[in-house]
């Protein structure tokens, strides 16, 4: 896989922790085991845009008050939704 930062061919899929501010700005949380890209050449770790959009959409669709300060990506994506889709995202 090619790194989007340094264009090395040494990038790999990885599960990493990420810190996120909730959409209402009430607090920041840690999401563990987020599908990410990790490059051994430039040491950059990043989340692809589509994955970021999925996380942002999920936060808009669930009751974030029920989330702990730290939880896994899988836990986040399995939360019950209030709406079928994020009606505030006009790009999707």
């Amino acid at each position: 896989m090619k790194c989007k930062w340094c264009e090395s061919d040494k990038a790999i899929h990885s599960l990493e922790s990420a810190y996120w501010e909730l959409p209402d700005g009430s607090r920041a949380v840690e999401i563990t085991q987020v599908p990410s890209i990790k490059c051994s050449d430039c040491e950059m770790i990043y989340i692809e845009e589509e994955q970021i959009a999925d996380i942002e959409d999920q936060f808009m669709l669930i009751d974030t008050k029920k989330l702990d300060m730290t939880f896994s990506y899988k836990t986040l994506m399995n939360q019950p939704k209030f709406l079928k889709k994020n009606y505030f995202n006009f790009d999707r």
Side-chain angles (χ1 to χ4, degrees):
M1 151 168 270
K2 193 170 212 171
C3 176
K4 289 186 180 180
W5 292 92
C6 72
E7 299 185 0
S8 166
D9 290 329
K10 294 184 180 176
I12 59 169
H13 290 278
S14 179
L15 297 176
E16 304 291 335
S17 290
Y19 298 90
W20 227 274
E21 183 177 354
L22 297 180
D24 65 2
S26 62
R27 62 189 169 119
V29 295
E30 178 183 12
I31 310 169
T32 61
Q33 301 177 348
V34 178
S36 306
I37 307 297
K38 185 176 191 177
C39 179
S40 61
D41 273 356
C42 69
E43 299 182 3
M44 182 62 74
I45 299 171
Y46 59 93
I47 303 169
E48 294 187 288
E49 292 295 322
E50 185 176 325
Q51 200 75 38
I52 291 170
D54 289 345
I55 292 170
E56 293 287 338
D57 282 349
Q58 185 70 354
F59 277 133
M60 295 297 288
L61 301 175
I62 64 171
D63 183 0
T64 58
K65 293 178 183 119
K66 293 183 179 180
L67 294 172
D68 292 328
M69 293 299 288
T70 301
F71 48 86
S72 70
Y73 172 79
K74 191 178 215 177
T75 298
L76 172 64
M77 300 313 277
N78 287 332
Q79 292 294 307
K81 298 176 183 170
F82 289 137
L83 300 169
K84 291 181 183 179
K85 70 176 203 166
N86 181 356
Y87 294 99
F88 299 103
N89 186 347
F90 302 110
D91 296 332
R92 289 183 150 197

